[in-house]
Amino acid sequence: MSTVLKVGAHPPVFHGEGLFYDGQNAEARPIDLSINEQRGVLLGEGVDWPLDKIRQVHDVAGKDLVILRHRDDPAARLILTDKTLLARLPDKDRSAPIARRGRLAAWALGALASVALILFVLVPLMADQLAEYLPPEGEKALGEVTLRQIREALDDSGLQPIAFCTAPEGEQALRRIETRLTEQMDPAPELTVHVLNHDMVNAFALPGGHLVFFRGLIDEAGSPDEIAAVMAHEIGHVISRDPTRHALRSAGSIGVLGLIFGDFAGGAIVLLITEQLIEAQYSQGAEAEADAFAHDLMLRADLSPAALAVMFERFRTLAGGDAEGFIGHFLSHPRLGDRIAAARDAVPDGFRPSPLLEPVEWRALQGICDVDAAF
């Protein structure tokens, strides 16, 4: 029906037709509409809307409908089938004012505070508690799954995971270093030491006693004692169960963020957890404890803690100073210079270490990746 203007003694009334969604039912119903300019209202069955409170809603789908809403009613909608009524509506394009700004701001701040509480208090607390009760077989399985994800994430080709380095003579030399350290411990921890064929200069521990070295770190090391010092440091993290807590915290935090910001599942979460674990930034206390553990274990194995200082100096040279975040958790607090000094101070006066590997064994360890890759 076209708009009809009745003129006479009474104020003008403009008529039209539309469809009305009352916000209670999903089905629209036809409605006859009229505009009473004297009262300044749009009228119809179930509709008594002041003209200055009517707003047009943009049709983001077909872009061919005229959709109206009441400023104070978030659900009800009017669809005009006669668009000529639209010209009689003042302020239809003005945005509805935001009511209760203070309350909205309070809710927003409360939501941010809740997220911060979950991420920085509840998730770490729950991860620490879960790490204490996680059975050894569960912890080992977590480490195996994480290691597989890391190998897959580091592969640039997308065809196969990063290979393990398994040259027999090199593996034998690595086992000698492991045995030299663990035979000083009672009980000896159950470790699984891996070397990945990747040029990253790093090493880290995973849940369940998995120690991971990259080929790049072995290439940069100047002696087997430096490898032993890094291994002793990582064993310290394993004994304290730092990797398990860190993995659970990372997974929990990223999971919470995924629920808040949308689809965070699949490859994205794996990549983020992988990065978190490879460059694990443990707390200052955890790093200091792992360093102290390494100093003590090296001495008990008749090796010099100064080897850890030498390796730290190599890291600092590669990083171009006392920067953080370049070579994994080795560059986290406390500052690298302080850790170098602590390692050197841990060497007793007159201490003389015993040889760790024969030159031929050291060369074999350096060539541990010089065979066909094993998967």
Side-chain angles (χ1 to χ4, degrees):
M1 176 190 296
S2 59
T3 302
V4 178
L5 174 60
K6 295 183 178 181
V7 181
H10 298 285
V13 177
F14 300 87
H15 293 271
E17 295 177 345
L19 296 173
F20 181 49
Y21 291 86
D22 61 9
Q24 305 296 321
N25 301 293
E27 185 177 354
R29 58 180 175 83
I31 187 173
D32 292 323
L33 298 168
S34 63
I35 296 177
N36 187 316
E37 290 198 330
Q38 183 180 37
R39 289 186 54 205
V41 293
L42 176 66
L43 299 171
E45 184 181 353
V47 174
D48 189 350
W49 290 3
L51 299 182
D52 60 356
K53 291 189 176 184
I54 295 175
R55 302 291 181 262
Q56 184 174 359
V57 179
H58 295 291
D59 178 15
V60 296
K63 303 185 184 301
D64 57 348
L65 297 178
V66 177
I67 306 173
L68 304 178
R69 64 178 289 262
H70 191 294
R71 186 191 68 177
D72 301 329
D73 188 338
R77 293 293 186 270
L78 267 175
I79 298 178
L80 297 185
T81 54
D82 183 355
K83 298 181 182 180
T84 55
L85 277 181
L86 190 64
R88 312 304 306 179
L89 302 176
D91 300 326
K92 59 183 178 299
D93 296 322
R94 189 174 64 186
S95 299
I98 299 177
R100 303 182 181 92
R101 286 186 174 87
R103 180 174 295 180
L104 290 175
W107 276 106
L109 290 175
L112 289 175
S114 298
V115 172
L117 178 66
I118 292 171
L119 291 178
F120 300 113
V121 178
L122 296 183
V123 167
L125 181 62
M126 293 176 65
D128 291 347
Q129 292 294 323
L130 183 57
E132 293 297 326
Y133 293 102
L134 190 66
E137 57 272 18
E139 194 170 5
K140 193 170 186 64
L142 175 61
E144 291 171 352
V145 170
T146 307
L147 177 59
R148 183 172 66 251
Q149 292 174 342
I150 288 173
R151 293 176 62 206
E152 293 172 351
L154 290 176
D155 172 51
D156 294 329
S157 69
L159 301 177
Q160 58 190 9
I162 292 294
F164 289 122
C165 297
T166 58
E169 294 82 2
E171 283 196 315
Q172 185 177 357
L174 192 62
R175 297 291 89 77
R176 283 201 61 184
I177 296 176
E178 177 187 347
T179 301
R180 179 77 170 263
L181 294 173
T182 57
E183 67 184 5
Q184 310 303 320
M185 304 173 65
D186 187 19
E190 184 178 346
L191 302 176
T192 308
V193 184
H194 311 272
V195 178
L196 293 182
N197 194 5
H198 195 282
D199 58 5
M200 185 183 300
V201 182
N202 203 356
F204 56 91
L206 292 177
H210 293 275
L211 303 186
V212 182
F213 287 78
F214 287 101
R215 170 178 49 80
L217 184 140
I218 296 176
D219 291 342
E220 288 292 334
S223 72
D225 296 56
E226 295 174 29
I227 300 298
V230 173
M231 186 179 294
H233 176 94
E234 297 303 335
I235 292 174
H237 282 307
V238 169
I239 296 301
S240 299
R241 307 187 81 176
D242 294 327
T244 301
R245 283 192 289 269
H246 191 76
L248 294 173
R249 289 180 186 181
S250 298
S253 298
I254 294 172
V256 170
L257 292 175
L259 290 174
I260 295 173
F261 294 111
D263 184 10
F264 234 70
I269 191 169
V270 170
L271 289 174
L272 285 170
I273 294 177
T274 296
E275 182 180 354
Q276 288 287 311
L277 291 172
I278 291 177
E279 299 191 359
Q281 299 290 317
Y282 298 125
S283 68
Q284 178 174 346
E287 287 298 334
E289 288 177 6
D291 285 352
F293 180 91
H295 302 161
D296 179 68
L297 184 57
M298 292 285 283
L299 287 173
R300 283 188 281 152
D302 206 17
L303 299 170
S304 175
L308 187 60
V310 174
M311 202 65 189
F312 283 161
E313 287 173 337
R314 294 186 191 279
F315 294 154
R316 183 165 61 179
T317 299
L318 289 171
D322 225 356
E324 298 179 9
F326 178 71
I327 309 180
H329 57 255
F330 289 110
L331 296 187
S332 64
H333 290 296
R335 288 174 62 84
L336 204 52
D338 297 336
R339 301 172 74 178
I340 291 171
R344 295 197 182 281
D345 291 343
V347 181
D349 293 338
F351 177 79
R352 291 184 178 275
S354 298
L356 178 56
L357 295 181
E358 297 294 334
V360 64
E361 293 175 307
W362 174 229
R363 288 194 296 272
L365 179 55
Q366 290 178 304
I368 193 172
C369 295
D370 295 341
V371 293
D372 292 337
F375 300 94

